[in-house]
Amino acid sequence: MPFIINSNTSKYVLLTKEYGISDVNISCNMTSSLGQISFGNDGKVYSKLSNYENQENKYEIKQRCKIELKSEEGREIGIIIEPKSGYTYIE
């Protein structure tokens, strides 16, 4: 039987349910949703993937991106993603 992740209960999808995250802010978010970050095999980082031909670089992140996570207890942490390399670290 294949492993199926349920988006309503999966700890990999719902940070609020599994880890007590109350707020997420992504500085490089170019979508109407919470946010999406994709890493290319060439090291580039994208804020969104395009479904259209010849637009593969339209959503490439050109500046440092910060993901801010806030817990229900008021604690905060920042995750920084560098453009071009995808190097990621905690601030």
Side-chain angles (χ1 to χ4, degrees):
M1 176 181 250
F3 178 71
I4 298 172
I5 294 177
N6 181 332
S7 63
N8 291 321
T9 59
S10 173
K11 68 181 180 180
Y12 303 107
V13 176
L14 300 174
L15 297 174
T16 56
K17 289 186 178 182
E18 183 68 18
Y19 302 104
I21 301 299
S22 63
D23 191 26
V24 178
N25 184 17
I26 302 176
S27 68
C28 56
N29 185 11
M30 294 185 178
T31 68
S32 59
S33 66
L34 172 63
Q36 170 183 315
I37 297 178
S38 301
F39 297 85
N41 62 355
D42 57 359
K44 292 181 181 178
V45 183
Y46 302 89
S47 64
K48 180 179 176 180
L49 298 178
S50 177
N51 293 326
Y52 300 103
E53 192 172 329
N54 298 321
Q55 287 191 357
E56 58 271 0
N57 293 321
K58 183 175 181 179
Y59 300 104
E60 180 183 350
I61 294 171
K62 303 282 187 179
Q63 296 179 345
R64 179 180 293 160
C65 180
K66 182 175 183 179
I67 302 170
E68 295 175 321
L69 303 173
K70 296 179 184 176
S71 74
E72 293 170 346
E73 295 85 27
R75 293 181 294 182
E76 298 181 15
I77 190 167
I79 302 169
I80 306 297
I81 302 172
E82 295 289 344
K84 299 193 186 219
S85 67
Y87 179 75
T88 306
Y89 57 94
I90 295 175
E91 181 180 66

